[in-house]
Amino acid sequence: MTAELIAFAIAGLAVGLGAVVLLSDLFPAPRLVTLLTGLCSALLLGGIAHTAFGDGHPVETVICSFLGSAAMVSLLARPDQRSGHRPRHA
């Protein structure tokens, strides 16, 4: 379980860091908030997946942790506040 927790943390940090670096114009929240959302959601959802799948499925739990973390971080995205974006007026 310890190795899975480390893998969950790495997956969450990778998701958060990827969002901050690659899509920084979509995330107006401070960078630390995005990183911590990725980390915490990966740990939480990885624990839920571990409980659901059981002890013998480490790969599946890490994949669920990664995908769940990406879903949670995407909730912070604000495409309407993207730099250079002009809202359309009907």
Side-chain angles (χ1 to χ4, degrees):
M1 180 67 185
T2 303
E4 286 183 37
L5 284 174
I6 294 170
F8 298 157
I10 291 171
L13 288 173
V15 167
L17 188 64
V20 166
V21 172
L22 299 176
L23 302 170
S24 61
D25 58 335
L26 289 176
F27 293 92
R31 292 179 177 177
L32 184 62
V33 171
T34 306
L35 286 172
L36 289 178
T37 300
L39 175 64
C40 293
S41 62
L43 291 173
L44 176 68
L45 295 169
I48 292 171
H50 178 79
T51 302
F53 290 135
D55 288 336
H57 306 283
V59 174
E60 290 86 352
T61 57
V62 173
I63 290 171
C64 286
S65 170
F66 184 84
L67 294 176
S69 178
M72 296 301 279
V73 168
S74 74
L75 294 175
L76 298 175
R78 296 293 307 265
D80 58 332
Q81 294 182 359
R82 181 178 246 176
S83 60
H85 175 74
R86 294 183 182 162
R88 284 192 246 170
H89 297 321

